[in-house]
Amino acid sequence: MDISLVTSLFRSESYLETFSSHVLNVAAALSEATVSLEMVLVANDASEAEHHLLRNLVGHLDSITGASARLLAVERETIYASWNRGIQAASGRCVGFWNVDDVRTPGALLEGLHLIDGGELLVYFPYDIIRSYTLPGGLRIRRRYVDRARPFDREQFARAMHTGPFFLFARDLYTQVGPFDDHFRISGDFEWCVRALDHADFCPGTAIAGRFAIHGDNLSNTGSPLETVENNAIQLRCGAWHNVIPADPDLMRDCWQAWGSPGIDLIDLPAHIQTQLWGNGAYERWQRALAERRRARRRIQVTETLRALPRFIINRTGTRSLLARWGLVKSAAVDR
């Protein structure tokens, strides 16, 4: 098998019809390029509706030359436990993930497979981000922009998750790095990529890999206190004390003491780092940081609202076709 993509699903009925359509389109495109695709679908505590939709997807995939699917039904587990389960069941030499609310493109999969067959171990790509939210009064804001694949820099990639949601890796790299740490609920992909830095230089691709939707129900990019705690735990494991930021002190301490310091030889944090994260003044530092993050989010929302307002007014007043004839705006067919 050429490419295996793992999807972990939980309460995904509302996404499955659209997801299935995208999967079938990608599988058909890869089939035309004589590249085989295996979808490994890990269904967590699936409902009857989910089972029905997933069985339909498996049946349709099996009818496409070179495509196949494996459906694994499990009790509810963390996403990274499901990823490990899916990788263990997969047979592709090139492996990646496909979140049920995202869209993947065949071009990036073909490019990634080519690069991995040429000796690269992990490939990451530019991708579209769709950010949407509703303001008071019902104004729906939807912004689309490209997250560029920045040049690889080991220090920067150890500090933040720059590989994005569409990275692909050689099966051999997973064998070297080991499984995803299923203690994590949000940042387990980042933690695994940090460990992978000890084994490989990452390679940027050029093809747009897909569309990543930020809508409020994502695991990451939601402002969850746990995401900051998990990102701090990753930095603490590496001894990168200068990269930790204020977090919920109680949650930070509890997570670090329960599972953050891995292995038999526990990491002994310097006293000043413990004070910084959960000692005197830590709560006040966290509250100040939260206030600054809220201000930053409001600044972004104001900027995006001002950019979107003319389009909103044009669409609501029905003047788009008239303005398009005058060449003042794009037609609805091409407007982004």
Side-chain angles (χ1 to χ4, degrees):
M1 185 61 65
D2 295 320
I3 301 172
S4 293
L5 297 178
V6 177
T7 300
S8 175
L9 305 110
F10 177 70
R11 300 295 181 261
S12 57
E13 294 97 327
S14 61
Y15 296 105
L16 271 176
E17 288 190 7
T18 301
F19 171 74
S20 297
S21 176
H22 292 311
V23 169
L24 294 174
N25 288 338
V26 166
L30 295 181
S31 178
E32 290 183 6
T34 66
V35 169
S36 56
L37 172 67
E38 175 186 56
M39 293 296 301
V40 183
L41 308 166
V42 185
N44 281 254
D45 190 25
S47 66
E48 282 301 318
E50 284 179 294
H51 274 301
H52 174 72
L53 292 167
L54 290 170
R55 285 193 294 267
N56 282 345
L57 173 57
V58 171
H60 284 104
L61 274 173
D62 287 341
S63 69
I64 297 175
T65 302
S68 64
R70 300 194 65 178
L71 177 57
L72 308 178
V74 300
E75 298 297 323
R76 188 178 181 184
E77 60 188 6
T78 70
I79 183 173
Y80 302 111
S82 287
W83 280 13
N84 289 328
R85 185 187 302 276
I87 293 169
Q88 290 161 11
S91 59
R93 64 184 184 276
C94 173
V95 183
F97 307 102
W98 191 336
N99 296 325
V100 70
D101 53 343
D102 294 338
V103 179
R104 268 193 172 273
T105 63
L109 291 171
L110 292 171
E111 181 185 11
L113 177 65
H114 174 73
L115 289 169
I116 286 173
D117 282 345
E120 300 294 347
L121 292 177
L122 188 149
V123 184
Y124 60 100
F125 303 91
Y127 57 95
D128 285 337
I129 293 178
I130 307 295
R131 184 187 296 272
S132 59
Y133 51 88
T134 302
L135 296 177
L139 176 59
R140 183 71 173 172
I141 302 299
R142 185 177 184 272
R143 291 290 296 164
R144 180 174 180 172
Y145 52 95
V146 176
D147 191 304
R148 304 292 179 184
R150 65 176 62 199
F152 176 66
D153 180 277
R154 191 171 304 278
E155 182 179 346
Q156 292 297 322
F157 277 62
R159 184 176 297 174
M161 180 63 175
H162 294 307
T163 54
F166 300 107
F167 67 94
L168 299 171
F169 54 92
R171 181 62 180 257
D172 288 345
L173 181 61
Y174 182 80
T175 301
Q176 296 173 44
V177 176
F180 289 80
D181 187 334
D182 60 12
H183 288 105
F184 287 83
R185 299 296 187 268
I186 300 173
S187 301
D189 49 353
F190 176 33
E191 190 274 339
W192 188 87
C193 286
V194 170
R195 281 188 281 133
L197 289 169
D198 292 334
H199 302 271
D201 293 335
F202 300 170
C203 175
T206 59
I208 297 293
R211 295 200 304 269
F212 175 65
I214 300 177
H215 44 64
D217 292 329
N218 311 80
L219 283 177
S220 58
N221 297 285
T222 63
S224 166
L226 182 59
E227 184 172 7
T228 304
V229 165
E230 291 190 354
N231 288 340
N232 276 348
I234 295 167
Q235 300 305 318
L236 294 174
R237 287 181 176 188
C238 299
W241 319 128
H242 56 287
N243 288 338
V244 299
I245 62 175
D248 180 329
D250 293 334
L251 185 61
M252 184 75 249
R253 182 187 60 248
D254 292 347
C255 287
W256 179 255
Q257 293 178 349
W259 57 262
S261 183
I264 297 174
D265 297 324
L266 300 182
I267 297 172
D268 187 17
L269 296 183
H272 75 278
I273 295 298
Q274 296 185 50
T275 299
Q276 176 184 336
L277 290 175
W278 55 73
N280 291 335
Y283 180 82
E284 290 73 18
R285 287 189 289 273
W286 174 52
Q287 289 300 305
R288 287 195 296 270
L290 286 180
E292 177 53 38
R293 291 169 206 166
R294 285 194 293 267
R295 286 192 292 268
R297 285 197 297 271
R298 283 197 294 269
R299 287 194 293 268
I300 293 172
Q301 288 187 354
V302 168
T303 299
E304 293 184 343
T305 300
L306 292 175
R307 288 175 177 171
L309 194 56
R311 182 189 306 174
F312 178 82
I313 294 172
I314 290 170
N315 290 338
R316 283 295 181 91
T317 57
T319 58
R320 174 168 295 279
S321 59
L322 177 62
L323 294 174
R325 286 200 297 270
W326 293 345
L328 299 176
V329 299
K330 296 178 181 178
S331 68
V334 297
D335 181 44
R336 294 179 63 174

